[in-house]
Amino acid sequence: QAEQMCRQLLRTQEEHEHLLQAAVEQAEGLEHNLRSVEAVLSERAAQLKDAQAQLSRNKLLIEDLREENRRFAMALQAAELKQKSTEEKNQLLEEQASALKQLIGKITPVSLSG
Protein backbone atom coordinates (compact mmCIF):
# COMPACT_ATOMS: atom_id res chain seq x y z
CA GLN A 1 0.00 0.00 0.00
CA ALA A 2 2.92 2.31 0.72
CA GLU A 3 4.24 1.57 -2.73
CA GLN A 4 0.88 2.44 -4.27
CA MET A 5 0.80 5.64 -2.25
CA CYS A 6 4.27 6.46 -3.45
CA ARG A 7 3.27 5.90 -7.06
CA GLN A 8 0.18 8.07 -6.54
CA LEU A 9 2.33 10.86 -5.06
CA LEU A 10 4.74 10.52 -7.97
CA ARG A 11 1.87 10.83 -10.48
CA THR A 12 0.50 13.83 -8.61
CA GLN A 13 3.96 15.39 -8.56
CA GLU A 14 4.33 14.79 -12.32
CA GLU A 15 0.90 16.31 -12.94
CA HIS A 16 1.84 19.34 -10.85
CA GLU A 17 5.14 19.67 -12.71
CA HIS A 18 3.26 19.39 -16.00
CA LEU A 19 0.76 22.04 -14.87
CA LEU A 20 3.60 24.20 -13.62
CA GLN A 21 5.42 23.86 -16.95
CA ALA A 22 2.20 24.77 -18.82
CA ALA A 23 1.73 27.79 -16.54
CA VAL A 24 5.33 28.88 -17.10
CA GLU A 25 4.91 28.56 -20.88
CA GLN A 26 1.63 30.48 -20.72
CA ALA A 27 3.29 33.19 -18.63
CA GLU A 28 6.16 33.39 -21.13
CA GLY A 29 3.62 33.71 -23.99
CA LEU A 30 1.77 36.44 -22.13
CA GLU A 31 5.05 38.22 -21.40
CA HIS A 32 5.95 38.04 -25.10
CA ASN A 33 2.50 39.40 -26.03
CA LEU A 34 2.90 42.18 -23.48
CA ARG A 35 6.26 43.18 -24.96
CA SER A 36 4.71 43.20 -28.44
CA VAL A 37 1.83 45.37 -27.28
CA GLU A 38 4.24 47.73 -25.50
CA ALA A 39 6.30 48.04 -28.70
CA VAL A 40 3.19 48.79 -30.76
CA LEU A 41 2.00 51.34 -28.19
CA SER A 42 5.41 52.97 -28.11
CA GLU A 43 5.47 53.23 -31.90
CA ARG A 44 1.93 54.61 -31.93
CA ALA A 45 2.84 57.15 -29.24
CA ALA A 46 5.81 58.28 -31.37
CA GLN A 47 3.52 58.59 -34.40
CA LEU A 48 1.03 60.65 -32.41
CA LYS A 49 3.82 62.87 -31.12
CA ASP A 50 5.02 63.44 -34.70
CA ALA A 51 1.45 64.14 -35.83
CA GLN A 52 1.00 66.64 -33.00
CA ALA A 53 4.25 68.39 -33.95
CA GLN A 54 3.10 68.53 -37.59
CA LEU A 55 -0.26 69.89 -36.47
CA SER A 56 1.49 72.62 -34.47
CA ARG A 57 3.61 73.53 -37.52
CA ASN A 58 0.47 73.57 -39.68
CA LYS A 59 -1.29 75.88 -37.23
CA LEU A 60 1.64 78.30 -37.40
CA LEU A 61 1.61 78.15 -41.20
CA ILE A 62 -2.14 78.83 -41.24
CA GLU A 63 -1.66 81.84 -38.98
CA ASP A 64 1.12 83.11 -41.27
CA LEU A 65 -1.13 82.63 -44.31
CA ARG A 66 -4.00 84.46 -42.60
CA GLU A 67 -1.71 87.39 -41.82
CA GLU A 68 -0.37 87.42 -45.37
CA ASN A 69 -3.93 87.22 -46.72
CA ARG A 70 -4.92 90.18 -44.51
CA ARG A 71 -2.00 92.20 -45.87
CA PHE A 72 -2.93 91.27 -49.44
CA ALA A 73 -6.54 92.29 -48.81
CA MET A 74 -5.39 95.67 -47.49
CA ALA A 75 -3.05 96.14 -50.46
CA LEU A 76 -5.86 95.19 -52.87
CA GLN A 77 -8.21 97.65 -51.19
CA ALA A 78 -5.58 100.40 -51.48
CA ALA A 79 -4.99 99.52 -55.15
CA GLU A 80 -8.74 99.60 -55.85
CA LEU A 81 -9.03 103.02 -54.20
CA LYS A 82 -6.08 104.29 -56.24
CA GLN A 83 -7.60 102.87 -59.44
CA LYS A 84 -10.92 104.54 -58.67
CA SER A 85 -9.14 107.83 -58.02
CA THR A 86 -7.17 107.45 -61.26
CA GLU A 87 -10.36 106.68 -63.20
CA GLU A 88 -12.03 109.77 -61.74
CA LYS A 89 -9.02 111.93 -62.70
CA ASN A 90 -9.00 110.35 -66.16
CA GLN A 91 -12.71 111.12 -66.56
CA LEU A 92 -12.08 114.72 -65.50
CA LEU A 93 -9.18 115.01 -67.97
CA GLU A 94 -11.36 113.59 -70.75
CA GLU A 95 -14.07 116.13 -69.93
CA GLN A 96 -11.48 118.92 -69.94
CA ALA A 97 -10.05 117.68 -73.25
CA SER A 98 -13.54 117.61 -74.75
CA ALA A 99 -14.21 121.14 -73.48
CA LEU A 100 -10.88 122.31 -74.94
CA LYS A 101 -11.74 120.73 -78.31
CA GLN A 102 -15.05 122.54 -78.34
CA LEU A 103 -13.36 125.81 -77.40
CA ILE A 104 -10.69 125.33 -80.07
CA GLY A 105 -13.45 124.48 -82.54
CA LYS A 106 -15.18 127.77 -81.73
CA ILE A 107 -11.96 129.83 -81.78
CA THR A 108 -10.45 128.39 -84.97
CA PRO A 109 -13.21 129.44 -87.43
CA VAL A 110 -13.11 132.96 -86.01
CA SER A 111 -9.31 133.13 -86.43
CA LEU A 112 -9.45 131.86 -90.01
CA SER A 113 -12.11 134.28 -91.08
CA GLY A 114 -10.32 137.29 -89.61
Side-chain angles (χ1 to χ4, degrees), residues 28-62:
E28 288 172 351
L30 290 173
E31 189 176 340
H32 175 73
N33 289 345
L34 179 62
R35 282 195 210 107
S36 296
V37 169
E38 285 175 343
V40 169
L41 287 175
S42 178
E43 182 180 339
R44 186 67 179 134
Q47 290 173 349
L48 289 174
K49 187 176 179 181
D50 290 345
Q52 187 174 6
Q54 183 64 44
L55 182 61
S56 294
R57 288 190 296 271
N58 289 347
K59 284 181 180 180
L60 291 175
L61 287 173
I62 288 170

mmCIF file of all heavy atoms in Angstrom, residues 28-62:
data_model
loop_
_atom_site.group_PDB
_atom_site.id
_atom_site.type_symbol
_atom_site.label_atom_id
_atom_site.label_comp_id
_atom_site.label_asym_id
_atom_site.label_seq_id
_atom_site.Cartn_x
_atom_site.Cartn_y
_atom_site.Cartn_z
ATOM 1 N N GLU A 28 5.177 32.914 -20.156
ATOM 2 C CA GLU A 28 6.162 33.393 -21.133
ATOM 3 C C GLU A 28 5.465 33.934 -22.377
ATOM 4 O O GLU A 28 5.856 34.963 -22.935
ATOM 5 C CB GLU A 28 7.136 32.272 -21.500
ATOM 6 C CG GLU A 28 8.113 31.939 -20.391
ATOM 7 C CD GLU A 28 8.954 30.700 -20.697
ATOM 8 O OE1 GLU A 28 8.673 29.989 -21.699
ATOM 9 O OE2 GLU A 28 9.894 30.426 -19.923
ATOM 10 N N GLY A 29 4.399 33.238 -22.832
ATOM 11 C CA GLY A 29 3.622 33.710 -23.985
ATOM 12 C C GLY A 29 2.972 35.049 -23.702
ATOM 13 O O GLY A 29 2.992 35.963 -24.540
ATOM 14 N N LEU A 30 2.402 35.173 -22.517
ATOM 15 C CA LEU A 30 1.775 36.444 -22.128
ATOM 16 C C LEU A 30 2.810 37.565 -22.041
ATOM 17 O O LEU A 30 2.550 38.695 -22.443
ATOM 18 C CB LEU A 30 1.039 36.287 -20.795
ATOM 19 C CG LEU A 30 -0.225 35.419 -20.832
ATOM 20 C CD1 LEU A 30 -0.748 35.201 -19.416
ATOM 21 C CD2 LEU A 30 -1.284 36.046 -21.718
ATOM 22 N N GLU A 31 3.980 37.224 -21.501
ATOM 23 C CA GLU A 31 5.055 38.221 -21.405
ATOM 24 C C GLU A 31 5.488 38.674 -22.801
ATOM 25 O O GLU A 31 5.702 39.866 -23.043
ATOM 26 C CB GLU A 31 6.235 37.626 -20.639
ATOM 27 C CG GLU A 31 7.299 38.650 -20.295
ATOM 28 C CD GLU A 31 8.419 38.047 -19.448
ATOM 29 O OE1 GLU A 31 8.210 36.986 -18.832
ATOM 30 O OE2 GLU A 31 9.492 38.658 -19.420
ATOM 31 N N HIS A 32 5.592 37.716 -23.716
ATOM 32 C CA HIS A 32 5.947 38.039 -25.097
ATOM 33 C C HIS A 32 4.877 38.948 -25.723
ATOM 34 O O HIS A 32 5.195 39.950 -26.383
ATOM 35 C CB HIS A 32 6.118 36.758 -25.918
ATOM 36 C CG HIS A 32 6.361 37.003 -27.369
ATOM 37 N ND1 HIS A 32 7.556 37.488 -27.846
ATOM 38 C CD2 HIS A 32 5.554 36.863 -28.445
ATOM 39 C CE1 HIS A 32 7.475 37.626 -29.158
ATOM 40 N NE2 HIS A 32 6.263 37.251 -29.551
ATOM 41 N N ASN A 33 3.604 38.580 -25.514
ATOM 42 C CA ASN A 33 2.497 39.400 -26.034
ATOM 43 C C ASN A 33 2.531 40.806 -25.440
ATOM 44 O O ASN A 33 2.300 41.797 -26.141
ATOM 45 C CB ASN A 33 1.145 38.748 -25.736
ATOM 46 C CG ASN A 33 0.911 37.499 -26.563
ATOM 47 O OD1 ASN A 33 1.605 37.260 -27.546
ATOM 48 N ND2 ASN A 33 -0.057 36.686 -26.166
ATOM 49 N N LEU A 34 2.818 40.888 -24.156
ATOM 50 C CA LEU A 34 2.896 42.182 -23.482
ATOM 51 C C LEU A 34 3.996 43.046 -24.089
ATOM 52 O O LEU A 34 3.789 44.233 -24.364
ATOM 53 C CB LEU A 34 3.134 41.986 -21.985
ATOM 54 C CG LEU A 34 3.250 43.260 -21.151
ATOM 55 C CD1 LEU A 34 1.970 44.065 -21.212
ATOM 56 C CD2 LEU A 34 3.598 42.904 -19.709
ATOM 57 N N ARG A 35 5.166 42.429 -24.335
ATOM 58 C CA ARG A 35 6.263 43.181 -24.962
ATOM 59 C C ARG A 35 5.863 43.669 -26.354
ATOM 60 O O ARG A 35 6.175 44.793 -26.744
ATOM 61 C CB ARG A 35 7.519 42.314 -25.039
ATOM 62 C CG ARG A 35 8.252 42.215 -23.718
ATOM 63 C CD ARG A 35 9.671 41.665 -23.900
ATOM 64 N NE ARG A 35 10.064 40.939 -22.710
ATOM 65 C CZ ARG A 35 10.157 39.619 -22.616
ATOM 66 N NH1 ARG A 35 9.928 38.850 -23.657
ATOM 67 N NH2 ARG A 35 10.511 39.048 -21.478
ATOM 68 N N SER A 36 5.164 42.826 -27.105
ATOM 69 C CA SER A 36 4.713 43.202 -28.445
ATOM 70 C C SER A 36 3.743 44.382 -28.380
ATOM 71 O O SER A 36 3.853 45.338 -29.144
ATOM 72 C CB SER A 36 4.033 42.019 -29.142
ATOM 73 O OG SER A 36 4.938 40.968 -29.339
ATOM 74 N N VAL A 37 2.807 44.289 -27.441
ATOM 75 C CA VAL A 37 1.833 45.373 -27.279
ATOM 76 C C VAL A 37 2.537 46.656 -26.849
ATOM 77 O O VAL A 37 2.235 47.752 -27.347
ATOM 78 C CB VAL A 37 0.730 44.973 -26.271
ATOM 79 C CG1 VAL A 37 -0.121 46.166 -25.883
ATOM 80 C CG2 VAL A 37 -0.139 43.869 -26.857
ATOM 81 N N GLU A 38 3.491 46.540 -25.944
ATOM 82 C CA GLU A 38 4.243 47.725 -25.504
ATOM 83 C C GLU A 38 5.000 48.346 -26.669
ATOM 84 O O GLU A 38 5.048 49.573 -26.798
ATOM 85 C CB GLU A 38 5.219 47.353 -24.384
ATOM 86 C CG GLU A 38 4.552 47.117 -23.051
ATOM 87 C CD GLU A 38 5.524 46.621 -21.990
ATOM 88 O OE1 GLU A 38 6.635 46.159 -22.345
ATOM 89 O OE2 GLU A 38 5.167 46.711 -20.800
ATOM 90 N N ALA A 39 5.572 47.523 -27.536
ATOM 91 C CA ALA A 39 6.303 48.044 -28.696
ATOM 92 C C ALA A 39 5.352 48.763 -29.643
ATOM 93 O O ALA A 39 5.660 49.851 -30.143
ATOM 94 C CB ALA A 39 7.026 46.905 -29.421
ATOM 95 N N VAL A 40 4.180 48.161 -29.877
ATOM 96 C CA VAL A 40 3.186 48.792 -30.757
ATOM 97 C C VAL A 40 2.721 50.112 -30.155
ATOM 98 O O VAL A 40 2.615 51.129 -30.854
ATOM 99 C CB VAL A 40 1.989 47.836 -31.000
ATOM 100 C CG1 VAL A 40 0.846 48.564 -31.682
ATOM 101 C CG2 VAL A 40 2.428 46.644 -31.849
ATOM 102 N N LEU A 41 2.444 50.105 -28.859
ATOM 103 C CA LEU A 41 1.999 51.337 -28.189
ATOM 104 C C LEU A 41 3.079 52.413 -28.229
ATOM 105 O O LEU A 41 2.787 53.599 -28.432
ATOM 106 C CB LEU A 41 1.592 51.040 -26.741
ATOM 107 C CG LEU A 41 0.272 50.291 -26.565
ATOM 108 C CD1 LEU A 41 0.054 49.961 -25.086
ATOM 109 C CD2 LEU A 41 -0.893 51.086 -27.104
ATOM 110 N N SER A 42 4.311 52.011 -28.050
ATOM 111 C CA SER A 42 5.415 52.965 -28.107
ATOM 112 C C SER A 42 5.529 53.575 -29.501
ATOM 113 O O SER A 42 5.698 54.794 -29.646
ATOM 114 C CB SER A 42 6.714 52.261 -27.731
ATOM 115 O OG SER A 42 7.803 53.146 -27.824
ATOM 116 N N GLU A 43 5.413 52.729 -30.514
ATOM 117 C CA GLU A 43 5.474 53.226 -31.898
ATOM 118 C C GLU A 43 4.306 54.170 -32.179
ATOM 119 O O GLU A 43 4.470 55.227 -32.775
ATOM 120 C CB GLU A 43 5.441 52.047 -32.871
ATOM 121 C CG GLU A 43 5.543 52.458 -34.327
ATOM 122 C CD GLU A 43 5.507 51.277 -35.272
ATOM 123 O OE1 GLU A 43 5.789 50.144 -34.842
ATOM 124 O OE2 GLU A 43 5.181 51.491 -36.441
ATOM 125 N N ARG A 44 3.123 53.775 -31.726
ATOM 126 C CA ARG A 44 1.929 54.610 -31.931
ATOM 127 C C ARG A 44 2.078 55.948 -31.197
ATOM 128 O O ARG A 44 1.693 56.990 -31.715
ATOM 129 C CB ARG A 44 0.690 53.863 -31.440
ATOM 130 C CG ARG A 44 -0.597 54.573 -31.725
ATOM 131 C CD ARG A 44 -0.901 54.649 -33.211
ATOM 132 N NE ARG A 44 -2.165 55.311 -33.414
ATOM 133 C CZ ARG A 44 -2.353 56.260 -34.311
ATOM 134 N NH1 ARG A 44 -1.385 56.624 -35.110
ATOM 135 N NH2 ARG A 44 -3.530 56.831 -34.425
ATOM 136 N N ALA A 45 2.627 55.913 -30.001
ATOM 137 C CA ALA A 45 2.844 57.152 -29.242
ATOM 138 C C ALA A 45 3.802 58.063 -29.995
ATOM 139 O O ALA A 45 3.594 59.283 -30.064
ATOM 140 C CB ALA A 45 3.380 56.830 -27.850
ATOM 141 N N ALA A 46 4.857 57.483 -30.590
ATOM 142 C CA ALA A 46 5.808 58.281 -31.368
ATOM 143 C C ALA A 46 5.124 58.877 -32.594
ATOM 144 O O ALA A 46 5.338 60.047 -32.936
ATOM 145 C CB ALA A 46 6.999 57.417 -31.789
ATOM 146 N N GLN A 47 4.260 58.086 -33.241
ATOM 147 C CA GLN A 47 3.524 58.595 -34.403
ATOM 148 C C GLN A 47 2.605 59.743 -34.008
ATOM 149 O O GLN A 47 2.521 60.754 -34.710
ATOM 150 C CB GLN A 47 2.700 57.478 -35.049
ATOM 151 C CG GLN A 47 3.520 56.423 -35.759
ATOM 152 C CD GLN A 47 2.677 55.250 -36.228
ATOM 153 O OE1 GLN A 47 1.501 55.122 -35.859
ATOM 154 N NE2 GLN A 47 3.273 54.388 -37.025
ATOM 155 N N LEU A 48 1.925 59.587 -32.881
ATOM 156 C CA LEU A 48 1.026 60.646 -32.410
ATOM 157 C C LEU A 48 1.806 61.909 -32.047
ATOM 158 O O LEU A 48 1.352 63.027 -32.316
ATOM 159 C CB LEU A 48 0.212 60.155 -31.210
ATOM 160 C CG LEU A 48 -0.861 59.113 -31.533
ATOM 161 C CD1 LEU A 48 -1.490 58.597 -30.241
ATOM 162 C CD2 LEU A 48 -1.923 59.687 -32.445
ATOM 163 N N LYS A 49 2.983 61.720 -31.461
ATOM 164 C CA LYS A 49 3.822 62.871 -31.115
ATOM 165 C C LYS A 49 4.253 63.607 -32.388
ATOM 166 O O LYS A 49 4.202 64.838 -32.451
ATOM 167 C CB LYS A 49 5.042 62.405 -30.327
ATOM 168 C CG LYS A 49 5.885 63.525 -29.782
ATOM 169 C CD LYS A 49 7.023 62.979 -28.935
ATOM 170 C CE LYS A 49 7.886 64.109 -28.405
ATOM 171 N NZ LYS A 49 9.001 63.607 -27.609
ATOM 172 N N ASP A 50 4.646 62.835 -33.415
ATOM 173 C CA ASP A 50 5.017 63.445 -34.696
ATOM 174 C C ASP A 50 3.831 64.168 -35.320
ATOM 175 O O ASP A 50 3.974 65.273 -35.857
ATOM 176 C CB ASP A 50 5.538 62.375 -35.671
ATOM 177 C CG ASP A 50 6.887 61.826 -35.266
ATOM 178 O OD1 ASP A 50 7.554 62.442 -34.408
ATOM 179 O OD2 ASP A 50 7.283 60.775 -35.824
ATOM 180 N N ALA A 51 2.661 63.527 -35.259
ATOM 181 C CA ALA A 51 1.451 64.140 -35.830
ATOM 182 C C ALA A 51 1.115 65.433 -35.096
ATOM 183 O O ALA A 51 0.718 66.428 -35.716
ATOM 184 C CB ALA A 51 0.283 63.162 -35.753
ATOM 185 N N GLN A 52 1.285 65.434 -33.783
ATOM 186 C CA GLN A 52 1.004 66.640 -33.002
ATOM 187 C C GLN A 52 1.989 67.753 -33.361
ATOM 188 O O GLN A 52 1.604 68.916 -33.490
ATOM 189 C CB GLN A 52 1.072 66.322 -31.506
ATOM 190 C CG GLN A 52 0.636 67.475 -30.633
ATOM 191 C CD GLN A 52 0.564 67.094 -29.169
ATOM 192 O OE1 GLN A 52 0.948 65.993 -28.787
ATOM 193 N NE2 GLN A 52 0.081 67.995 -28.344
ATOM 194 N N ALA A 53 3.250 67.389 -33.549
ATOM 195 C CA ALA A 53 4.247 68.390 -33.950
ATOM 196 C C ALA A 53 3.902 68.949 -35.328
ATOM 197 O O ALA A 53 3.988 70.164 -35.557
ATOM 198 C CB ALA A 53 5.636 67.762 -33.957
ATOM 199 N N GLN A 54 3.492 68.085 -36.250
ATOM 200 C CA GLN A 54 3.097 68.535 -37.589
ATOM 201 C C GLN A 54 1.878 69.436 -37.507
ATOM 202 O O GLN A 54 1.800 70.454 -38.194
ATOM 203 C CB GLN A 54 2.804 67.326 -38.499
ATOM 204 C CG GLN A 54 2.465 67.702 -39.934
ATOM 205 C CD GLN A 54 3.607 68.380 -40.650
ATOM 206 O OE1 GLN A 54 4.746 67.955 -40.556
ATOM 207 N NE2 GLN A 54 3.329 69.457 -41.357
ATOM 208 N N LEU A 55 0.935 69.071 -36.656
ATOM 209 C CA LEU A 55 -0.261 69.889 -36.465
ATOM 210 C C LEU A 55 0.112 71.276 -35.942
ATOM 211 O O LEU A 55 -0.424 72.287 -36.411
ATOM 212 C CB LEU A 55 -1.220 69.185 -35.504
ATOM 213 C CG LEU A 55 -2.553 69.868 -35.229
ATOM 214 C CD1 LEU A 55 -3.353 70.021 -36.511
ATOM 215 C CD2 LEU A 55 -3.349 69.076 -34.214
ATOM 216 N N SER A 56 1.036 71.328 -35.011
ATOM 217 C CA SER A 56 1.491 72.618 -34.474
ATOM 218 C C SER A 56 2.142 73.455 -35.569
ATOM 219 O O SER A 56 1.888 74.662 -35.681
ATOM 220 C CB SER A 56 2.473 72.406 -33.331
ATOM 221 O OG SER A 56 1.828 71.794 -32.243
ATOM 222 N N ARG A 57 2.979 72.796 -36.397
ATOM 223 C CA ARG A 57 3.605 73.528 -37.518
ATOM 224 C C ARG A 57 2.540 74.021 -38.500
ATOM 225 O O ARG A 57 2.606 75.157 -38.977
ATOM 226 C CB ARG A 57 4.611 72.631 -38.236
ATOM 227 C CG ARG A 57 5.885 72.382 -37.433
ATOM 228 C CD ARG A 57 6.964 71.703 -38.260
ATOM 229 N NE ARG A 57 6.607 70.371 -38.703
ATOM 230 C CZ ARG A 57 6.825 69.251 -38.022
ATOM 231 N NH1 ARG A 57 7.408 69.310 -36.831
ATOM 232 N NH2 ARG A 57 6.474 68.080 -38.503
ATOM 233 N N ASN A 58 1.540 73.186 -38.762
ATOM 234 C CA ASN A 58 0.469 73.574 -39.683
ATOM 235 C C ASN A 58 -0.326 74.755 -39.144
ATOM 236 O O ASN A 58 -0.709 75.653 -39.899
ATOM 237 C CB ASN A 58 -0.463 72.396 -39.958
ATOM 238 C CG ASN A 58 0.179 71.328 -40.819
ATOM 239 O OD1 ASN A 58 1.222 71.557 -41.420
ATOM 240 N ND2 ASN A 58 -0.434 70.162 -40.883
ATOM 241 N N LYS A 59 -0.567 74.758 -37.829
ATOM 242 C CA LYS A 59 -1.294 75.881 -37.232
ATOM 243 C C LYS A 59 -0.505 77.180 -37.408
ATOM 244 O O LYS A 59 -1.085 78.228 -37.728
ATOM 245 C CB LYS A 59 -1.554 75.619 -35.745
ATOM 246 C CG LYS A 59 -2.663 74.639 -35.492
ATOM 247 C CD LYS A 59 -2.897 74.450 -33.992
ATOM 248 C CE LYS A 59 -4.010 73.461 -33.720
ATOM 249 N NZ LYS A 59 -4.247 73.275 -32.278
ATOM 250 N N LEU A 60 0.814 77.108 -37.213
ATOM 251 C CA LEU A 60 1.644 78.301 -37.405
ATOM 252 C C LEU A 60 1.609 78.761 -38.857
ATOM 253 O O LEU A 60 1.512 79.960 -39.139
ATOM 254 C CB LEU A 60 3.084 78.022 -36.972
ATOM 255 C CG LEU A 60 3.304 77.835 -35.469
ATOM 256 C CD1 LEU A 60 4.759 77.442 -35.193
ATOM 257 C CD2 LEU A 60 2.950 79.110 -34.713
ATOM 258 N N LEU A 61 1.668 77.799 -39.781
ATOM 259 C CA LEU A 61 1.607 78.150 -41.203
ATOM 260 C C LEU A 61 0.271 78.798 -41.552
ATOM 261 O O LEU A 61 0.224 79.773 -42.309
ATOM 262 C CB LEU A 61 1.824 76.899 -42.075
ATOM 263 C CG LEU A 61 3.240 76.352 -42.123
ATOM 264 C CD1 LEU A 61 3.274 75.028 -42.887
ATOM 265 C CD2 LEU A 61 4.179 77.354 -42.781
ATOM 266 N N ILE A 62 -0.811 78.264 -40.984
ATOM 267 C CA ILE A 62 -2.137 78.832 -41.239
ATOM 268 C C ILE A 62 -2.199 80.262 -40.717
ATOM 269 O O ILE A 62 -2.731 81.152 -41.392
ATOM 270 C CB ILE A 62 -3.236 77.945 -40.610
ATOM 271 C CG1 ILE A 62 -3.374 76.658 -41.425
ATOM 272 C CG2 ILE A 62 -4.567 78.677 -40.537
ATOM 273 C CD1 ILE A 62 -4.257 75.603 -40.772
#
